[in-house]
Amino acid sequence: MNALNEERFNKAFSSFILVGMTAALVLTTIIKAGRAGVTDSGLWLLIVSAFGSLMGILATVLSASGNILTFLFGLLDVSIYGAMCYINYQHGNSGLGNAILHFLYFVPMQFVGFFQWKKRGAGAGGKVKARRLTSRNWLLLSLVFIAGSVVAYFIIARFDKSAADTFLKVSVVLDVLPLMCNIIGQFLMSVACMEQWIFWIGVNITSILMWSFSMKGAADSYAAIYIIKYSFYLLNSINGLRIWIRLSRPGE
């Protein structure tokens, strides 16, 4: 694919993601809002979730193209999503780990990423100069992921009231996996590493599963919003991996 066709494809794909998710969110919001039994608070949660999801898809599309404005929309997205995860946890579902993660890690990392990308050429119409991990860094990240997952599992399992009392608590696993992928993915994104997209793919798959298990009771009004959101995120992250493989090549 030559440079001109590459640019056309990226614009067309980004437009598809933005228009497709917007249409899906508007339709889902209208259907959910008109459903019998929806309370005033449930309606507001639905609207806020939809708005946050739109900010998130703007952020991920801009991130895939190496545009520094991703951190502006990302700040809105992670703030709203952290609040919704906490509300989901309060309703007896999983989400505590993701709420803590978004407020204490993702929000400040938006500022870290902004200044790191500026140092690597992003801004004023330019794209960030991407880098790749070494084999040693991959080994270190793998060890961090495994150790962090084990520690996070036991911490969240201790406090998560939604988890069934079994040997392996599935709802906690579905909370821990996106949590760890998020932590590593955000770090790699902030330092402009191509491999971030591998972890974002993991985040999107596990988040779809987590919110699918939340499609019941009070969480049902906004869980569908996040299933749609992460489905589009998954498509965008696959395309982002493709773009950043090129951006991280020497001389690009």
Side-chain angles (χ1 to χ4, degrees), residues 7 9 35 40 88 103 108 119 131 137 145 220 242:
E7 184 177 355
F9 175 82
R35 189 182 57 182
D40 289 341
N88 193 52
F103 285 130
K119 290 180 180 179
R131 67 178 91 189
N137 289 335
F145 182 85
D220 181 49
R242 181 188 64 82

Side-chain angles (χ1 to χ4, degrees), residues 191-220:
V191 296
C193 281
M194 175 272 293
E195 289 82 0
Q196 62 170 293
W197 295 102
I198 297 173
F199 290 93
W200 291 139
I201 290 172
V203 169
N204 298 329
I205 291 174
T206 52
S207 294
I208 290 170
L209 292 174
M210 185 190 85
W211 287 107
S212 295
F213 279 99
S214 298
M215 287 285 291
K216 63 181 185 297
D220 181 49

Side-chain angles (χ1 to χ4, degrees), residues 36-59:
V38 176
T39 63
D40 289 341
S41 61
L43 178 60
W44 276 109
L45 290 175
L46 181 65
I47 294 172
V48 171
S49 298
F51 175 75
S53 294
L54 286 175
M55 296 299 99
I57 201 64
L58 280 169

Side-chain angles (χ1 to χ4, degrees), residues 13-208:
F13 190 87
S14 296
S15 297
F16 162 73
I17 293 292
L18 289 171
V19 174
M21 183 171 179
T22 300
L25 284 174
V26 169
L27 180 60
T28 303
T29 302
I30 292 174
I31 292 173
K32 291 287 185 179
R35 189 182 57 182
V38 176
T39 63
D40 289 341
S41 61
L43 178 60
W44 276 109
L45 290 175
L46 181 65
I47 294 172
V48 171
S49 298
F51 175 75
S53 294
L54 286 175
M55 296 299 99
I57 201 64
L58 280 169
T60 57
V61 167
L62 290 170
S63 175
S65 62
N67 191 311
I68 197 170
L69 288 177
T70 180
F71 296 105
L72 172 62
F73 295 102
L75 180 61
L76 293 171
D77 174 41
V78 297
S79 299
I80 292 173
Y81 187 68
M84 298 309 298
C85 282
Y86 183 74
I87 292 171
N88 193 52
Y89 165 69
Q90 291 291 89
H91 286 156
N93 299 305
S94 59
L96 177 61
N98 268 299
I100 295 172
L101 169 71
H102 279 71
F103 285 130
L104 299 185
Y105 180 70
F106 258 119
V107 169
M109 285 299 285
Q110 302 308 304
F111 298 97
V112 172
F114 178 83
F115 290 109
Q116 286 294 316
W117 278 35
K118 285 199 71 174
K119 290 180 180 179
R120 297 192 62 80
K127 293 183 179 180
V128 66
K129 181 176 174 58
R131 67 178 91 189
R132 295 190 183 187
L133 293 176
T134 64
S135 298
R136 181 178 180 181
N137 289 335
W138 259 119
L139 176 61
L140 179 61
L141 275 180
S142 299
L143 294 175
V144 169
F145 182 85
I146 294 171
S149 296
V150 172
V151 172
Y153 176 86
F154 284 107
I155 292 175
I156 296 174
R158 173 68 178 80
F159 296 101
D160 196 334
K161 61 187 177 184
S162 70
D165 190 16
T166 58
F167 176 74
L168 184 63
K169 301 178 180 181
V170 176
S171 65
V172 175
V173 172
L174 291 176
D175 206 3
V176 167
L177 290 179
L179 184 151
M180 289 305 303
C181 286
N182 265 312
I183 290 174
I184 295 177
Q186 179 62 64
F187 173 77
L188 294 178
M189 176 185 175
S190 295
V191 296
C193 281
M194 175 272 293
E195 289 82 0
Q196 62 170 293
W197 295 102
I198 297 173
F199 290 93
W200 291 139
I201 290 172
V203 169
N204 298 329
I205 291 174
T206 52
S207 294
I208 290 170

